[in-house]
Each structure stands twice: as C-alpha cells, then as structure tokens.
Amino acid sequence: MSNTVHLGTIPVGPKHPPVFLAEIGTFFGQDIEEARRMTRRILTAREACPQTPLILKGEVLHDANVCLDDDTMEPYVAKDGTLRRERYRELVERKVVPLDRYRELFNIAREHGLPFVLSVYDFVGADFAAAVGAAAIKIASANLTHIPLIRHAAKLGLPLLLDTGRAEMDEVARAVNTARKAGCKDLIVEHSPDGHPAPPENHNLLLLDTYAHAFQAPVGLSDHFQGELMLYLAVALGTSLVEKGVVADVGALDQDVAHAMALDDLPHVLKTVHDTWIALGEPVRPLSQTIRGNIGTSQRSGLVAKRTLCPGDRVNFDTVGFAWPMKGIPAFHWDTVDDWEVVTALPSGTPIRWSDVRPVSS
C-alpha cells in the first residue's frame, strides 16, 4: 500500500509537508451564506500562508433520519465551560442542509481550486460527495464500525479518511481491511483523542506512530483540544495531516465550538504548522547545508601562547593556552602537537599556527 495519498493535487505522506484540514463542519448551522463567508476566509488564509497545504473540511448532513427521533439527549461542553444538553434529534435537525445548497457551497471551493474533504453519514451523502468533486470521503468516528457505509464509500474510487475515535485496535483494523478489500487503494487513518474538548492526558499521541506502522498508511490528527498545542505536537511526531474546527465566533454556545479555533487565527496557525515541520529537518546535520541567520562568532578553541614564546620552547600546558575564536591550531589537535618545538617568536596571547611549531627530531 502507498504511504503517499493525493487529496486532489496535494500529496499527503511522511515525505511531504503536513496538510491542514480547516473544518467548517456544521458550525454554520443552516446558514449557507455564513458558510460561504467562512470558505472565503479560508481561501484568504491560504493566500497568506501558501507553504502549508490547506484543504476545506465539510460534512454532508442532509437527512435527519441518520439520528433516531427519540428522547436521547446529547451532552456537550460549551465554550464557557458549561455542560449543555440538547435532544439529539433536534440538534441534528437544526444542522441539516439540503444537497442542492451543499452543492452551491462546495462549488465555491472547486471554482477557486480549494480541495475539500467531506464527512458522510449515508450512501446518498457518499454518492453526492463523489459527484460534487470531493477530494476524499471521511468516515466519522461514529461510523467506523458501519461496515456497509465504509464498503460503499470505498467503491467510489476516492481516498478515504477513517476517523478512529474511541475504537479498539481490532475495530480500526477491521475498518481498514474492509475499505481495502472493497477497492480503496488510498486511505488515511486519523487519530481522534477522547473528549470534546479532549484534555492532554487523553491524547495518546504515540498512537499516531502505532497506526502508521500497523496500517502502512499516512496518519492524521483530528484535533479536539482547546488551543493549538496538539497540532504542533502531532506534526513534531510525524503526522501527515492535522484537522481542526474553525469558527467565525469562538464564543458561540454550540456543539464542538469549545475546541474549535478562530478563523482569524488560521494564517498564524498555518505558519506555525509549517515552521514546526521545517524545524524537524534531517536525522543528521547535512554538511552541505547553508547556515542562515546570524550564527555569531565560532566558540571553538585554538592554541595560543600563554606567555612570550621563543624558538626552542616546547608546546605544553606551561607554555600554551586555549582561546576562542579558533584562529590557530584547533584544540582537538593537541595530542598531535604536544611537546612539539616552537620555531617562531610569539608574544603572549598570540594564536599558534602550524607554521609556528614543528615535531622534535628523535
């Protein structure tokens, strides 16, 4: 299986810059005009920081019947820290958008060359995602065990993102195997820490490496942390993709806003993601690497005359000291020149060069 997946024209994999999925999800409710504004702001952020590949992340929630119409209550933490409860069906109903309105929204991204990835919850939504030009389909964590949906999506010929959520390893393996057996050649496994928002102790970011080795696929982080720290830690650990909710109003008391970031912060976060990845560099220092910036004066030491030296004096700790910058014989050559003979008169404090000393004839 390939360790590089292409989302549109953007390569995703260990050898490529990490990709940022800016998730508008259902944060706009049913206000498509607000969704349009959010999309345009994401496009502006892409222009401000083109170094980090940027993809729009959306959802296709078009049918409230994916949720039971009963009295199940959905708890969520609001941005102010309060625990709120809402009847699950009503929550879903106020976020459902008809497919034709979704098409209008995603056409904006397509017209501007902004790839988009869509979470789907049923067969119709998956077919719509493929038809409207999505770069990939995402299977949300709640549907990781929805084998029919995974199988259906895998047959559409698009890359799949599998959000693992709280799944056990065997459940993740079953989802991956199902997708591959159904024809999916390109998939990304996303780690999704427990909690909305997720505290640091729930993150287990080392799972990223576990998934990468177990499934031989690029890995990503679906970030539910309050703040951006986990994005940068995940990049430092080698993740190929990071996903984060973006909202216009971070003070909104709605589901999932507590761990979303402000759209205004997106350019800065994109730059920091890029800088974090660049800082990883290589596992060894490349000798041919051009050093940028002010590197200061060399701190390496060289040999200097400890006192006034005359021809015939010997090189030893009584006659020779060490000082930086290294303008004479490097200190690491001490074992070579120890007990050599001085052949040049040297004032105290003068760097000692190779021409100033010679080996003593035996």
Side-chain angles (χ1 to χ4, degrees), residues 4-169:
T4 298
V5 172
H6 282 83
L7 301 182
T9 60
I10 297 176
V12 182
K15 296 182 179 180
H16 303 281
V19 176
F20 192 97
L21 263 63
E23 183 195 5
I24 63 172
T26 59
F27 290 125
F28 53 88
Q30 296 172 328
D31 187 348
I32 290 295
E33 289 307 313
E34 173 65 7
R36 289 174 186 268
R37 288 189 289 271
M38 294 173 73
T39 300
R40 291 192 177 98
R41 292 177 68 179
I42 290 170
L43 286 165
T44 300
R46 183 179 65 171
E47 294 174 1
C49 186
Q51 302 96 326
T52 297
L54 181 60
I55 291 177
L56 175 71
K57 166 61 177 53
E59 299 188 8
V60 184
L61 183 58
H62 67 100
D63 184 357
N65 287 322
V66 294
C67 178
L68 289 175
D69 191 2
D70 63 10
D71 293 330
T72 300
M73 301 297 289
E74 174 70 2
Y76 57 87
V77 176
K79 197 71 172 183
D80 62 0
T82 60
L83 181 64
R84 301 167 68 91
R85 294 179 182 274
E86 185 173 355
R87 193 168 77 89
Y88 204 179
R89 175 66 178 228
E90 291 178 355
L91 187 154
V92 171
E93 286 176 347
R94 66 181 176 83
K95 293 178 179 288
V96 164
V97 174
L99 292 180
D100 58 343
R101 301 309 309 277
Y102 273 133
R103 182 175 287 106
E104 295 173 14
L105 172 61
F106 301 133
N107 278 346
I108 295 175
R110 191 171 58 217
E111 289 167 3
H112 287 84
L114 178 64
F116 52 94
V117 171
L118 302 178
S119 290
V120 302
Y121 302 99
D122 58 11
F123 295 175
V124 173
D127 292 342
F128 172 82
V132 81
I137 290 174
K138 178 171 176 177
I139 302 297
S141 59
N143 284 327
L144 192 73
T145 59
H146 192 333
I147 298 302
L149 180 59
I150 294 173
R151 189 175 289 135
H152 181 86
K155 293 178 180 179
L156 295 173
L158 294 176
L160 291 187
L161 278 66
L162 300 178
D163 194 321
T164 58
R166 301 189 66 185
E168 299 290 340
M169 196 66 175

Side-chain angles (χ1 to χ4, degrees), residues 187-205:
L187 61 82
I188 298 169
V189 179
E190 275 196 274
H191 172 43
S192 182
D194 296 340
H196 294 72
E201 61 270 22
N202 285 9
H203 274 74
N204 299 304
L205 292 179

Side-chain angles (χ1 to χ4, degrees), residues 75-348:
Y76 57 87
V77 176
K79 197 71 172 183
D80 62 0
T82 60
L83 181 64
R84 301 167 68 91
R85 294 179 182 274
E86 185 173 355
R87 193 168 77 89
Y88 204 179
R89 175 66 178 228
E90 291 178 355
L91 187 154
V92 171
E93 286 176 347
R94 66 181 176 83
K95 293 178 179 288
V96 164
V97 174
L99 292 180
D100 58 343
R101 301 309 309 277
Y102 273 133
R103 182 175 287 106
E104 295 173 14
L105 172 61
F106 301 133
N107 278 346
I108 295 175
R110 191 171 58 217
E111 289 167 3
H112 287 84
L114 178 64
F116 52 94
V117 171
L118 302 178
S119 290
V120 302
Y121 302 99
D122 58 11
F123 295 175
V124 173
D127 292 342
F128 172 82
V132 81
I137 290 174
K138 178 171 176 177
I139 302 297
S141 59
N143 284 327
L144 192 73
T145 59
H146 192 333
I147 298 302
L149 180 59
I150 294 173
R151 189 175 289 135
H152 181 86
K155 293 178 180 179
L156 295 173
L158 294 176
L160 291 187
L161 278 66
L162 300 178
D163 194 321
T164 58
R166 301 189 66 185
E168 299 290 340
M169 196 66 175
D170 63 329
E171 293 176 318
V172 181
R174 182 169 58 216
V176 169
N177 292 336
T178 296
R180 285 175 169 164
K181 287 180 180 179
C184 178
K185 296 180 180 180
D186 296 312
L187 61 82
I188 298 169
V189 179
E190 275 196 274
H191 172 43
S192 182
D194 296 340
H196 294 72
E201 61 270 22
N202 285 9
H203 274 74
N204 299 304
L205 292 179
L206 294 180
L207 264 173
L208 291 163
D209 188 61
T210 300
Y211 288 152
H213 284 85
F215 304 117
Q216 293 298 295
V219 294
L221 174 70
S222 181
D223 183 33
H224 299 148
F225 185 68
Q226 285 186 311
E228 290 78 52
L229 174 62
M230 299 303 163
L231 296 173
Y232 311 138
L233 289 177
V235 170
L237 287 170
T239 190
S240 299
L241 176 148
V242 288
E243 177 183 344
K244 182 81 169 175
V246 292
V247 293
D249 180 10
V250 292
L253 301 179
D254 202 353
Q255 183 194 37
D256 290 342
V257 175
H259 52 80
M261 58 174 275
L263 269 166
D264 288 341
D265 294 336
L266 186 53
H268 168 74
V269 171
L270 292 176
K271 183 179 185 304
T272 307
V273 165
H274 177 73
D275 289 347
T276 303
W277 179 71
I278 286 293
L280 296 179
E282 303 292 339
V284 295
R285 186 191 300 273
L287 296 179
S288 61
Q289 177 177 314
T290 300
I291 299 176
R292 298 179 179 178
N294 179 12
I295 61 174
T297 303
S298 172
Q299 297 287 308
R300 295 185 176 184
S301 295
L303 276 59
V304 297
K306 184 179 286 188
R307 58 173 174 77
T308 299
L309 298 182
C310 301
D313 286 339
R314 295 295 186 89
V315 173
N316 55 48
F317 291 133
D318 292 330
T319 59
V320 173
F322 307 90
W324 36 262
M326 181 181 66
K327 294 189 175 180
I329 298 171
F332 62 80
H333 283 303
W334 175 260
D335 289 344
T336 299
V337 300
D338 186 16
D339 204 38
W340 278 20
E341 181 181 6
V342 176
V343 297
T344 307
L346 298 171
S348 176

